[in-house]
Amino acid sequence: MKYQRQLTKAGDERLKVTNEALNGIKLIKMSAWEYYFIDKIQNARGKELNVFKKRVVVRVINIFLSWLTPVIVVSTVFTTYVYYGNQLTVEIALTLMATFAVLQYPIQMFPRYIAFIAETLISIRRIEAFLQAEEVDFSHVQVCLLYTSDAADDLLCVDLGGRRIIKKK
């Protein structure tokens, strides 16, 4: 869960820098800041990749352990059964093996389900933070579009505060 949270933050930072560069591409080109933004984006991507590599290592270990867990559980049960003085017969061993064969898939999937739940909780928290954020105040915002044609130029403005359309020539 820790690496998923870090990966999400690193991805957000990279997207923020990329969007900043894309939104101001004309200014960046005119000011010859391309290399600065390329370095900034590559640094953000490098941080994201480092966290992603750590997350992949943890996931590989998780998968390895999920496949190893049923074997460990069966061995532990047999060892414990014999340790307490019981005799392990073929009937008991086959019964336990059949029971654990049925339980093998749930035992293997348990760590994955925990990872899925962790990712879901992170997503829910992000959505909740977004939904509980303050509303943007559009009362002083005016958006204008310039329509040009052969006949005349029209300027169409929308006052978002008063929700009215203003047409200017």
Side-chain angles (χ1 to χ4, degrees):
M1 189 161 157
K2 170 184 159 184
Y3 291 120
Q4 177 64 32
R5 201 174 312 129
Q6 289 177 353
L7 182 62
T8 304
K9 285 181 184 177
D12 287 348
E13 182 63 30
R14 179 183 53 83
L15 286 174
K16 179 179 152 190
V17 172
T18 304
N19 283 337
E20 182 182 336
L22 289 175
N23 288 334
I25 196 76
K26 287 182 184 178
L27 179 63
I28 291 170
K29 285 290 209 182
M30 288 186 331
S31 303
W33 291 341
E34 296 99 337
Y35 296 111
Y36 171 76
F37 274 93
I38 288 171
D39 288 342
K40 200 171 176 181
I41 291 170
Q42 286 177 338
N43 286 338
R45 180 66 178 150
K47 289 177 186 176
E48 183 181 16
L49 283 174
N50 286 336
V51 174
F52 186 73
K53 287 175 188 175
K54 290 176 187 176
R55 182 173 174 234
V56 167
V57 168
V58 169
R59 188 168 276 184
V60 166
I61 292 169
N62 190 3
I63 290 170
F64 174 74
L65 290 176
S66 71
W67 282 98
L68 189 63
T69 300
V71 175
I72 292 171
V73 168
V74 169
S75 301
T76 305
V77 168
F78 284 154
T79 304
T80 305
Y81 187 77
V82 172
Y83 177 76
Y84 282 109
N86 299 315
Q87 185 170 354
L88 187 62
T89 62
V90 174
E91 296 86 16
I92 293 173
L94 290 178
T95 304
L96 284 173
M97 294 292 285
T99 303
F100 284 116
V102 171
L103 294 175
Q104 181 176 3
Y105 182 75
I107 291 171
Q108 282 179 342
M109 293 304 293
F110 186 71
R112 291 185 191 172
Y113 290 143
I114 290 173
F116 293 151
I117 289 170
E119 290 176 13
T120 303
L121 288 175
I122 290 169
S123 297
I124 288 172
R125 287 184 188 135
R126 290 176 59 120
I127 291 170
E128 183 180 33
F130 173 76
L131 292 176
Q132 290 180 351
E134 281 190 32
E135 293 291 326
V136 177
D137 182 20
F138 288 112
S139 62
H140 303 292
V141 176
Q142 191 177 52
V143 178
C144 295
L145 299 170
L146 178 63
Y147 291 103
T148 58
S149 65
D150 293 335
D153 292 340
D154 289 333
L155 185 63
L156 180 66
C157 294
V158 178
D159 182 5
L160 296 178
R163 306 273 195 255
R164 62 178 185 244
I165 297 176
I166 307 161
K167 188 173 182 180
K168 301 176 183 176
K169 291 233 179 204

